[in-house]
Amino acid sequence: MGGMFLSAEWKNLVMLNYVVDPAMLAPLVPAGTLLDSFGGKTYLSVIGFEFNRTRLRGFAVPFHQSFEEANLRFYVRRGERRGVVFIRELVPKFAVAAVARFAFNEKYLCVPMSHRLHLDVHGNPFAAEYSWGRGKAACAMHIETEGEGYLPREGSLSEFITEHYWGYAAQKDGGCLEYQVQHPQWRVRDAAGSRFTGDAASVYGQTFAEVLRRAPDSAFLAEGSEVTVSDGVRIR
């Protein structure tokens, strides 16, 4: 594992999950990894969350400590390591997008973003929305939850979606970077309703937009925590 690249607090993660044909994702699987599945099904997820208390190599960058992110991702494994691959990542800060593209070759775009939370009587979010873009290109993801928060049980879908501690980024020369994401297990709340709205094709392309037009196959609101992200290390 490399040294620490970034530390932050990720909070209020909206996770909308879609079962897809593995053939859709096969061309995007980085070298050295294999497409992962749960219960024989391949999942694509769109995730929106708050990035807070952000520090790059231990230093707080002025005006870049709190912002939203939304990403479209799928799941891979390398041996016993379960990881994620990002198809597209969105942030409202140009410098954040530029650093991530340079350091990891991740597919970041800078777009206007906002979010809204609805709190219960205890001050805990029970509904959330993340939105981005303007005009015809505007998109949003929504969730309303039911029940109390809980730690996902071992072997459950909520554990599979939330507990991936490695990231894999394909490189321009055909290689792959591996980096570690460390955080404690997250409490989640199940969805009573969830949806994606807007022109997803403008950001993700028509194939993925068709997936996002339908209702998610599952959805969660994860509490989040402090996280650390290591430097990328090239794998064979």
Side-chain angles (χ1 to χ4, degrees):
M1 184 183 74
M4 187 177 72
F5 176 75
L6 176 145
S7 65
E9 182 182 62
W10 293 353
K11 297 292 289 182
N12 303 315
L13 295 92
V14 176
M15 301 179 150
L16 310 184
N17 313 300
Y18 302 80
V19 176
V20 298
D21 185 339
M24 176 188 296
L25 301 175
L28 304 177
V29 176
T33 69
L34 297 172
L35 193 60
D36 204 359
S37 62
F38 177 84
K41 297 178 179 179
T42 302
Y43 282 88
L44 175 78
S45 298
V46 59
I47 315 291
F49 62 100
E50 296 177 62
F51 232 115
N52 294 317
R53 298 170 59 193
T54 306
R55 302 179 75 88
L56 186 64
R57 299 202 183 282
F59 295 95
V61 181
F63 311 111
H64 289 74
Q65 296 178 53
S66 296
F67 50 90
E68 299 89 357
E69 176 172 323
N71 60 61
L72 185 68
R73 75 185 197 184
F74 65 95
Y75 305 92
V76 298
R77 56 187 171 87
R78 178 175 177 251
E80 297 299 315
R81 294 179 174 179
R82 292 163 48 187
V84 301
V85 176
F86 296 104
I87 298 168
R88 176 65 73 194
E89 293 162 279
L90 308 174
V91 291
K93 301 290 187 180
F94 176 81
V96 174
V99 169
R101 287 195 298 263
F102 175 77
F104 294 95
N105 195 42
E106 292 285 22
K107 300 172 180 63
Y108 268 82
L109 286 178
C110 178
V111 297
M113 299 188 72
S114 63
H115 74 282
R116 294 190 300 171
L117 301 175
H118 300 276
L119 307 181
D120 62 22
V121 294
H122 304 293
N124 300 313
F126 70 89
E129 174 186 285
Y130 290 88
S131 58
W132 57 89
R134 295 192 180 98
K136 294 182 179 179
C139 293
M141 52 189 302
H142 317 255
I143 192 169
E144 302 89 34
T145 67
E146 60 183 359
E148 298 297 320
Y150 63 91
L151 290 176
R153 62 178 175 81
E154 185 176 356
S156 66
L157 176 60
S158 54
E159 181 202 39
F160 175 80
I161 296 295
T162 59
E163 294 192 41
H164 282 78
Y165 298 107
W166 298 89
Y168 294 92
Q171 302 299 290
K172 294 177 181 178
D173 62 1
C176 177
L177 286 186
E178 175 185 72
Y179 55 92
Q180 188 172 21
V181 181
Q182 295 181 298
H183 62 78
Q185 188 180 26
W186 290 334
R187 296 178 64 85
V188 301
R189 298 178 74 160
D190 291 325
S194 60
R195 61 199 179 278
F196 184 100
T197 59
D199 179 20
S202 63
V203 174
Y204 303 122
Q206 190 60 43
T207 299
F208 293 114
E210 290 178 4
V211 175
L212 298 177
R213 287 191 188 105
R214 59 181 171 86
D217 293 285
S218 70
F220 316 104
L221 178 62
E223 184 177 273
S225 68
E226 293 183 352
V227 301
T228 60
V229 179
S230 73
D231 288 317
V233 176
R234 196 174 182 91
I235 64 174
R236 295 183 179 181

